Every structure is written in C-alpha cells, then in structure tokens.
Amino acid sequence: MKVILIIPAYNEEKNIAKLLQVLCLDYKNVDVLVINDCSTDNTSKVCDQFNVKVINLPCNLGIGGAVQTGYKFAQMHNYDIAIQVDGDGQHNPEYIKDLVDPLVKNEADLIIGSRYISKIGFQSTFLRRVGINYFSRLLHILTGQLITDPTSGYRACNKRVIEIFARRYPVDYPEPESIMYLKRNRLRIKEIPVVMEARLEGKSSITLIKSAYYMAKVSLAILIDSLRKQIV
C-alpha cells in the first residue's frame, strides 16, 4: 500500500527537524510531505536538509488549506493511506503503526489518535480541554458516537476519505467539523490511545479570543452540516 505522511507546518523551524529526523530514520517506507504554509522563518530551509517532499505555499492558507493541500497531493498521486501529523513535536511517531493497522484491516475509514483514552502524557491546556469536552459532547449528541479527542490532528485515513478531504475540507479549526461531515456520510471513525507531548518550542496561536470564535464558528458549522443530506 502507498502511504503518505502529511505535515502542515507554519513557523516550525525549531520543532520540525527532530520529527523529520525520526521519520527519515525509522519510517523509510512512508513518503513524507511537508506543507510549508508560507512560513516567515526558516521552516522550508530546515526541511530541505532532509529527503522529504515539501510544498511551499505562496500565501498563508491556515491549517485547513494546508492540510487539504496534502490530501489533494495524496489523491493526485494515488496514495492508499494518508497520515496527518503536526509539525510542532506534539505527535509521537511511534504510534503511526497503531494508526495505520485498523485501516489495513478495514476496521474504519478514519483513525484518530486520542490523548483522552489512556489519559497519559500532555493533556493540553485547561482552556482547550474545556473546548475539547464541549465538542465531544456536541458530536456525541448529533452522531451517536463518542469521540473523546475531536480536535486531535493526529489522524490516518483510507483512500475514500483522502478523496473526500481533497474535495472538501473545513478552513478554520477543521477537525471537529470534518468528523461531523464524515459521520453524516456514514463513514467509520475509530479512536486509538496515544500519548502526546507538549510543544517543543514556540507557543500555540490559539488565544482566549480565538477560542471563543472557534467554539462559536465550529459549533454553527457542525449544526448546519448535521442538517445536510448524505452526498457520498
């Protein structure tokens, strides 16, 4: 099976080298693609030191646009499985096999790495945990499935989901909304336990004001999407 690992990155020059070093040494059977979202630092130059594919976006698209670029690339090059990993060092590559195995066994269409199953390691900030719990409850009400970590960007999906995400992927804070989209279209989602780490360098761009906007905007998008008809 052709497997690609998509890494959206914006100003991650201090974090991404360690991740790429591990991937190039231990995961040589997986193609690595970095989507450099018009970084203003040396992210692109750091990536050039490793034998990985890099797409340098000409303008900043945000997380949704950067990730969708990766899925479009995966669809164009006929990959069977796509894995999504953040470039900030929070996602430990040792769980890649655990993410991929259920897809190979056809147990689900999307696998999410959840930090809230074993509840070990970095559990995020208090403010983000409040938001995560809220979206977990909202999605449970609307879909009937409990997703413990709906904002997790540590994911893997099969070819069917690659095609869907290449066609349509939410722009802002996309993970919870994309879950609703897949569930509405009767795709199978499964979570596996992972241990996440705190960001190595730098800080998250999500502030108190952005968190409030995030919850309001994504809640509305999820509710609207839940009312739409199945299309896939």
Side-chain angles (χ1 to χ4, degrees), residues 68-87:
Q68 188 178 29
T69 300
Y71 285 118
K72 284 181 176 293
F73 182 95
Q75 181 191 38
M76 184 182 301
H77 294 274
N78 199 33
Y79 281 92
D80 300 295
I81 291 175
I83 307 161
Q84 186 181 328
V85 175
D86 288 350

Side-chain angles (χ1 to χ4, degrees), residues 7 9-11 34-39 43-44 54-57:
I7 307 174
Y10 177 68
N11 290 348
V34 177
I35 311 297
N36 176 32
D37 195 16
C38 198
S39 297
T43 295
S44 181
V54 181
I55 295 178
N56 292 301
L57 297 178

Side-chain angles (χ1 to χ4, degrees), residues 22-222:
V22 173
L23 293 174
C24 291
L25 285 175
D26 299 336
Y27 298 90
K28 295 180 180 179
N29 59 333
V30 175
D31 292 337
V32 177
L33 172 66
V34 177
I35 311 297
N36 176 32
D37 195 16
C38 198
S39 297
T40 58
D41 66 359
N42 293 315
T43 295
S44 181
K45 291 183 179 179
V46 172
C47 294
D48 287 342
Q49 299 172 16
F50 298 88
N51 186 29
V52 300
K53 299 178 178 68
V54 181
I55 295 178
N56 292 301
L57 297 178
C59 61
N60 182 264
L61 296 181
I63 183 64
V67 170
Q68 188 178 29
T69 300
Y71 285 118
K72 284 181 176 293
F73 182 95
Q75 181 191 38
M76 184 182 301
H77 294 274
N78 199 33
Y79 281 92
D80 300 295
I81 291 175
I83 307 161
Q84 186 181 328
V85 175
D86 288 350
D88 58 10
Q90 293 193 67
H91 299 160
N92 191 330
E94 73 177 54
Y95 296 99
I96 287 176
K97 183 178 184 299
D98 295 333
L99 286 167
V100 170
D101 278 350
L103 297 174
V104 175
K105 297 175 182 176
N106 195 29
E107 295 175 356
D109 302 296
L110 175 73
I111 309 298
I112 300 173
S114 171
R115 76 203 91 179
Y116 300 119
I117 295 177
S118 59
K119 295 184 179 180
I120 301 173
F122 180 62
Q123 301 291 291
S124 194
T125 63
F126 172 76
L127 192 62
R128 291 203 66 173
R129 288 200 304 272
V130 170
I132 290 167
N133 185 60
Y134 165 76
F135 284 119
S136 178
R137 291 173 180 270
L138 178 61
L139 289 167
H140 190 198
I141 292 170
L142 295 175
T143 70
Q145 180 175 352
L146 177 62
I147 304 293
T148 64
D149 201 351
T151 68
S152 172
Y154 200 6
R155 304 163 138 200
C157 65
N158 61 16
K159 182 173 287 190
R160 187 179 180 193
V161 175
I162 290 173
E163 293 172 353
I164 292 171
F165 283 168
R167 227 170 32 238
R168 178 197 171 200
Y169 199 75
V171 177
D172 293 323
Y173 312 107
E175 291 85 8
E177 189 178 344
S178 66
I179 289 172
M180 182 70 246
Y181 181 55
L182 294 182
K183 288 297 295 182
R184 173 169 62 85
N185 288 288
R186 303 185 186 280
L187 277 85
R188 302 163 298 165
I189 299 176
K190 179 178 180 179
E191 288 187 293
I192 63 156
V194 300
V195 177
M196 294 189 187
E197 301 175 9
R199 168 183 278 272
L200 295 176
E201 298 283 349
K203 61 181 181 178
S204 173
S205 62
I206 299 178
T207 62
L208 180 61
I209 294 176
K210 285 186 177 181
S211 295
Y213 163 77
Y214 169 39
M215 294 184 71
K217 183 265 179 189
V218 178
S219 295
L220 181 61
I222 288 173

